[in-house]
Amino acid sequence: MTTTVLPRVTYINVKHGVASWLLTKDHKRIGIMYMIVVSFAFLLGGLFAAGVRIELTTPQGDFVSSDTYNRLFTMHGIFMVFFVLVPVVPAILGNFVMPLMIGAKDVAFPKLNLMSWYVFVIGFCFTLYALVSGGVDTGWTFYTPYSSNASNTNVLPVGIGIFITGFSSILTGLNFMVTIHRMRAPGLTWFRLPLFVWAIYATSLVMILATPVIAITVGMMALERALGFGIFDPRLGGDPVLFQHLFWFYSHPAVYIMILPPMGIISEVIACFSRKNVFGYSFVAFSSLAIAIFGFLVWAHHLFVAGISPYSAMVFSFLSFAVAIPSAVKVFNWTATLYQGAIWWKAPMMWVFGFMGLFLIGGLTGIFLASLGLDIHLHDTYFVVAHFHYIMVGGAIMGFFAGLHFWWPKMTGRMFSDSMATLAALLVFVGFNLTFFPQFILGYLGMPRRYHAYSEEFQVLNVLSSAGASILGVGYALIASYLLYSLFRGAPAGANPWLATGLEWTTQSPPLPENFAVQPVVNEGAYEYSKREIKVA
Amino acid sequence: MLEGIPLFPEQASNLAPEVDNLYFGITAITAFFAILVVVLIIVFAIKYRDKTGQKVGAPITGSIPLEVGWSIIPFIISMGIFVWATIVFFHLVRAPEQTLEIYSTGKRWMWRFQHLDGASEINTLHVPLGRPVKVIFTSEDVLHSLFIPAFRVKADAIPGRYSSIWFTATKTGEYHLFCTEYCGTKHSGMIGTVTVMEPGDYQSWLSGGGGMSMASRGEQLFQQLGCVGCHLDNGSGRGPALAGKYGMQETLANGTTVTVDDTYIRESILTPQMKLVAGYGPVMPTFQGLVNEEGVMSLIEYIKTLPPAGQAAAPAQAQVTP
Ligand SMILES: [Cu+2]
Ligand SMILES: [Cu+2]
């Protein structure tokens, strides 16, 4: 591998200059441009989180004022959810590798793809503007009537920002669905598709169906706030709980927008580093679709204490248990994939192991919250905060990093330090658990979320949590540093450094502007590692 | 240092042990699965490790029996949890018939509690030991949520409707009371203390509170606001007689029926045109702005105590002794 050199013509060096990037229609370049914006949002969101964790090291609200604290956690949530978690895998990795994986030259509508990026950036700018001109303090959930009449912060610009950003999701989902239907290489049947492509397909479905609802909901909230339409405020004849129904009708499926694509990544990486077929391929593929569909039927599990009828609570609790099954099936299949594999302990696989541990805890604590009798006590406490961070950071972000490390050599043509990456995975795993595990205990003890000041007896656990967050921060900083180093100094990777199956590994790294020199043809399933010649080292 | 960290909140209500058992049960079941999967992953990762990266794994593609097994078994177990948790839930939300009622309103950023016999308090709540208590509450502004961790009860306070929690305190002492629905600047200051007292102490605490009972206050408002002019006892007024109506079914002008409960009476007073009683015209004026949340609660309490026509009037003083 040491003799490989970087290819002469790549999508990176084919054209130069900022304009060549800003006007590009190449899905790979657009993926990179998303990565730049999302990384910036992640940095901001992380800084807000740091502010929150510093404040919570002492019971008194002494680091910042209550109003500032409320803005900190709100902006943390808004940036992380709408500008990091939702786009991180589909828009970055989905854009970059999905067309390569199906042997296509680009997505179905390259111009629309570029437009989605601009829409995303405009939405992001609105939100940034809201931030610099004072911030917003409603929580990322915007519950009415607080958001529509009580808060005197920048609710409208943020609402507009989220409204606009939603269209980027919808357009991207549309683009991906058409691409997967129409642009697959000859011979690439549905059941030969890599599982990441299945996951992106299921995610696109959710994006197209759910995102309009949040746009409408935020729109109605804005109408009430700006023009006094009585929709959610009881004083104007509205119903505040209606907002919660609508909000979660988007935001629960949105959890699957965040977690399905990382699940797809896990399937890819596990297969590659176990040198095996993914166990129960079709079950894993269909469980993505099942999750996408059932995910629409459980929204009211966020409303168990919001005055819905006990019988409807029962139905939603039942459905929430049901939706957990396909996720469990995935975990069992991944575990079984390891059985009798030839497991190569490389950095991407370490991130997968981390994902498995954290996602398992995140998923299983979901059972606690789906249980009606227990949710009454746990609702809106730190237990919920811990649970969804295990899913969204432990699951989605760990999964993203598994994918980023896996495809980094493809994207940049260069390798990174495997030992550094393994160390980073370990740091993030340990730091994450130290940050969020104590929060389960805090939640059961009864510490409510979104509290600026808290009762003395919660301090020790909060200090542990803040200590964990600093380790987590070091872990993320480490990733940034060795990846940046790799970008300029990393050893050339060659076309297929992991000896992986999959069309994206058959072209050079970084790929040609048009992806493949000749149109690839597929005549086998996605993970036929065992058919490969056994090379004895 | 570790012994300084509490792991579980105190159990101070009849409901707390039920909720805790559920918590331990689910913890045991989920921990079993978590450990099983983690151990398998670690064992496989070590046993099948290949340092070269050149070998390939066994040609296994899947197994239908396994897939069916690991779908069905977790489903059955989760249904068991579902049933158990739902039973506990119905205990939590279904208050017994006879409860000591306490009214409350949340507003930014305080809780006000109104005892039937007139005593009222802010950010503190006194309740007797061993007697079912029902707190009925609403919000005057945005959403709030009333949470007493030691009792394992919680419900959102929603402007425009009534919510309730109930519990029987089982241990004297002082416990936290938190607002758990984010409500702005001093959300984390919207907290208080629940004091559980021996019934005798509670009685003497109440008598120290003074003031007029809620029902008599309601009666007074009923006169002052002119309700009495339309709602005559014999039903001959412009509005229906209210005596004995509480808890009954009422037929509305649009043909549907509703139960006459707290929320319905509240709506009747603040938005009378929304649900017209069959046989009556839209003549009742709205009292929005003329009466505050506590006034509405007092009116409700007064209407509740009105005896069905023909029966002797019960003392307006609501009973507070068991
Ligand atoms: Cu949900
Ligand atoms: Cu509050």
Side-chain angles (χ1 to χ4, degrees):
Chain A
M1 224 176 353
T2 44
T3 52
T4 37
V5 289
L6 287 180
R8 217 165 42 80
V9 182
T10 72
Y11 78 96
I12 300 174
N13 65 14
V14 64
K15 278 189 212 141
H16 291 279
V18 176
S20 78
W21 282 84
L22 290 178
L23 298 175
T24 185
K25 280 168 284 179
D26 184 339
H27 66 100
K28 301 182 288 301
R29 286 187 161 211
I30 293 173
I32 300 291
M33 296 203 299
Y34 270 112
M35 181 137 89
I36 293 166
V37 184
V38 170
S39 305
F40 182 52
F42 185 68
L43 183 70
L44 279 178
L47 289 176
F48 295 130
V52 167
R53 281 316 329 163
I54 293 173
E55 173 62 73
L56 293 178
T57 49
T58 58
Q60 308 78 27
D62 44 13
F63 175 62
V64 292
S65 71
S66 292
D67 282 327
T68 309
Y69 179 81
N70 295 342
R71 284 172 172 78
L72 282 177
F73 73 71
T74 300
M75 300 306 278
H76 165 70
I78 289 173
F79 278 105
M80 289 303 201
V81 169
F82 296 105
F83 299 100
V84 177
L85 289 162
V86 167
V88 68
V89 179
I92 300 175
L93 297 175
N95 250 316
F96 196 101
V97 296
M98 188 272 284
L100 285 164
M101 289 175 109
I102 63 171
K105 274 199 172 70
D106 206 319
V107 293
F109 309 113
K111 283 186 194 151
L112 189 68
N113 200 16
L114 180 63
M115 182 174 134
S116 306
W117 183 81
Y118 276 101
V119 171
F120 180 71
V121 171
I122 293 170
F124 184 60
C125 289
F126 259 96
T127 314
L128 271 184
Y129 156 74
L131 167 71
V132 292
S133 61
V136 62
D137 75 342
T138 58
W140 78 278
T141 47
F142 298 105
Y143 272 15
T144 53
Y146 184 74
S147 60
S148 62
N149 81 28
S151 171
N152 46 26
T153 56
N154 287 325
V155 182
L156 282 181
V158 174
I160 295 171
I162 288 168
F163 183 85
I164 297 173
T165 312
F167 285 94
S168 159
S169 278
I170 297 171
L171 297 179
T172 302
L174 193 76
N175 215 338
F176 285 177
M177 269 187 116
V178 178
T179 307
I180 296 169
H181 271 281
R182 307 294 305 162
M183 316 261 299
R184 281 170 287 130
L188 186 53
T189 59
W190 283 91
F191 289 97
R192 286 177 180 169
L193 278 180
L195 288 163
F196 181 66
V197 179
W198 272 99
I200 289 288
Y201 186 85
T203 308
S204 304
L205 195 74
V206 182
M207 283 175 156
I208 295 173
L209 294 179
T211 317
V213 180
I214 188 79
I216 294 164
T217 311
V218 172
M220 291 197 288
M221 186 263 286
L223 282 181
E224 181 165 292
R225 188 175 167 89
L227 305 173
F229 283 31
I231 303 168
F232 304 122
D233 186 349
R235 263 179 286 184
L236 305 171
D239 178 358
V241 182
L242 174 65
F243 178 87
Q244 299 180 28
H245 280 289
L246 292 170
F247 179 82
W248 290 110
F249 190 80
Y250 164 76
S251 295
H252 187 84
V255 174
Y256 297 115
I257 298 179
M258 303 171 201
I259 197 68
L260 277 171
M263 286 172 155
I265 293 175
I266 300 306
S267 299
E268 297 301 318
V269 179
I270 280 203
C272 171
F273 292 93
S274 308
R275 308 295 191 212
K276 269 185 76 199
N277 268 297
V278 170
F279 194 91
Y281 171 96
S282 52
F283 287 88
V284 178
F286 279 117
S287 66
S288 289
L289 285 183
I291 290 173
I293 293 162
F294 283 122
F296 277 102
L297 305 177
V298 299
W299 76 90
H301 62 204
H302 299 268
L303 278 74
F304 289 157
V305 302
I308 60 171
S309 100
Y311 295 104
S312 73
M314 226 170 104
V315 172
F316 281 101
S317 167
F318 170 79
L319 291 167
S320 304
F321 277 103
V323 81
I325 303 298
S327 299
V329 166
K330 279 187 196 272
V331 172
F332 293 136
N333 277 297
W334 290 326
T335 310
T337 305
L338 299 173
Y339 175 70
Q340 291 200 359
I343 300 166
W344 197 20
W345 289 23
K346 282 291 189 177
M349 193 62 170
M350 297 300 132
W351 286 94
V352 169
F353 288 141
F355 169 96
M356 296 274 277
L358 302 182
F359 181 70
L360 203 60
I361 297 180
L364 290 172
T365 49
I367 303 275
F368 289 67
L369 296 168
S371 302
L372 284 174
L374 209 48
D375 185 63
I376 302 297
H377 179 64
L378 294 175
H379 183 79
D380 269 339
T381 66
Y382 262 87
F383 193 95
V384 177
V385 176
H387 160 72
F388 73 71
H389 279 90
Y390 266 87
I391 296 284
M392 292 176 8
V393 186
I397 299 293
M398 287 295 263
F400 168 72
F401 280 122
L404 184 67
H405 285 86
F406 184 53
W407 285 304
W408 180 266
K410 180 56 56 186
M411 298 167 86
T412 64
R414 293 178 187 273
M415 297 304 291
F416 49 82
S417 156
D418 196 72
S419 48
M420 284 298 206
T422 303
L423 176 68
L426 187 70
L427 277 178
V428 168
F429 183 79
V430 171
F432 182 88
N433 278 305
L434 187 57
T435 310
F436 292 104
F437 202 85
Q439 297 185 3
F440 285 123
I441 303 170
L442 277 174
Y444 201 72
L445 281 172
M447 176 162 165
R449 63 192 287 201
R450 298 173 170 174
Y451 261 32
H452 176 223
Y454 56 84
S455 181
E456 303 262 316
E457 73 259 31
F458 302 137
Q459 188 177 10
V460 178
L461 290 161
N462 270 296
V463 169
L464 283 179
S465 184
S466 295
S470 28
I471 300 179
L472 198 54
V474 173
Y476 289 139
L478 183 61
I479 302 172
S481 55
Y482 66 74
L483 286 185
L484 280 176
Y485 181 84
S486 150
L487 200 56
F488 300 104
R489 293 278 148 79
N496 191 358
W498 313 121
L499 308 175
T501 60
L503 293 178
E504 77 270 32
W505 302 106
T506 60
T507 185
Q508 64 178 43
S509 323
L512 293 165
E514 67 277 19
N515 291 350
F516 300 95
V518 282
Q519 171 66 57
V521 177
V522 179
N523 48 29
E524 59 175 18
Y527 310 108
E528 298 297 348
Y529 286 96
S530 51
K531 284 194 193 152
R532 295 199 157 186
E533 210 177 302
I534 299 179
K535 292 184 240 163
V536 184
Chain B
M1 179 185 158
L2 271 172
E3 55 272 28
I5 311 175
L7 293 180
F8 306 101
E10 242 173 308
Q11 286 188 339
S13 78
N14 62 325
L15 304 163
E18 273 188 66
V19 175
D20 286 356
N21 288 343
L22 182 62
Y23 180 64
F24 294 133
I26 300 177
T27 307
I29 296 167
T30 51
F32 170 78
F33 279 99
I35 292 169
L36 181 76
V37 172
V38 168
V39 167
L40 284 176
I41 292 174
I42 294 175
V43 168
F44 292 163
I46 293 173
K47 185 161 175 213
Y48 302 114
R49 179 172 184 186
D50 164 37
K51 290 190 180 155
T52 65
Q54 307 285 323
K55 291 198 195 128
V56 298
I60 304 171
T61 54
S63 145
I64 303 281
L66 270 180
E67 299 288 349
V68 173
W70 64 43
S71 307
I72 301 276
I73 293 172
F75 184 72
I76 292 173
I77 295 175
S78 69
M79 282 305 103
I81 300 177
F82 165 70
V83 171
W84 182 6
T86 304
I87 293 172
V88 174
F89 172 70
F90 274 91
H91 287 175
L92 284 165
V93 295
R94 287 278 147 88
E97 286 282 303
Q98 289 299 317
T99 52
L100 170 67
E101 292 184 351
I102 297 173
Y103 282 90
S104 170
T105 43
K107 72 170 185 213
R108 296 191 291 161
W109 289 275
M110 60 183 228
W111 294 102
R112 196 179 145 87
F113 295 94
Q114 178 81 49
H115 296 259
L116 289 186
D117 79 330
S120 74
E121 42 185 339
I122 287 176
N123 290 344
T124 58
L125 171 61
H126 289 75
V127 294
L129 183 78
R131 179 151 173 224
V133 173
K134 184 172 173 184
V135 186
I136 302 163
F137 53 98
T138 186
S139 161
E140 280 185 23
D141 41 39
V142 299
L143 299 175
H144 301 283
S145 191
L146 186 61
F147 178 35
I148 308 171
F151 297 168
R152 316 287 189 272
V153 293
K154 176 188 296 135
D156 283 0
I158 304 164
R161 5 176 144 166
Y162 290 114
S163 317
S164 67
I165 54 175
W166 85 275
F167 51 83
T168 304
T170 52
K171 203 164 140 193
T172 54
E174 300 204 331
Y175 306 102
H176 288 302
L177 177 157
F178 294 131
C179 172
T180 40
E181 184 62 70
Y182 174 69
C183 56
T185 310
K186 293 209 199 87
H187 169 52
S188 67
M190 195 165 159
I191 57 178
T193 314
V194 182
T195 307
V196 178
M197 307 170 98
E198 292 292 347
D201 297 345
Y202 177 68
Q203 277 315 320
S204 41
W205 177 83
L206 270 186
S207 46
M212 205 188 283
S213 83
M214 276 184 87
S216 358
R217 166 114 185 83
E219 185 170 13
Q220 209 178 46
L221 282 171
F222 204 75
Q223 314 271 347
Q224 280 170 5
L225 295 170
C227 317
V228 67
C230 292
H231 293 284
L232 299 180
D233 270 352
N234 56 14
S236 62
R238 298 167 70 194
L242 299 178
K245 273 280 166 66
Y246 191 81
M248 297 294 161
Q249 296 288 318
E250 180 69 272
T251 310
L252 300 181
N254 64 10
T256 57
T257 55
V258 291
T259 316
V260 180
D261 59 9
D262 297 14
T263 301
Y264 171 73
I265 299 180
R266 183 182 184 285
E267 281 176 356
S268 296
I269 298 170
L270 298 179
T271 50
Q273 319 298 347
M274 299 273 273
K275 289 179 184 162
L276 283 186
V277 180
Y280 291 89
V283 293
M284 175 164 161
T286 170
F287 289 87
Q288 196 119 45
L290 297 175
V291 54
N292 62 13
E293 289 292 350
E294 266 139 41
V296 174
M297 285 172 173
S298 303
L299 280 167
I300 293 172
E301 192 50 38
Y302 169 65
I303 293 171
K304 272 188 198 174
T305 56
L306 288 173
Q311 265 176 261
Q317 173 79 22
Q319 50 172 69
V320 282
T321 39

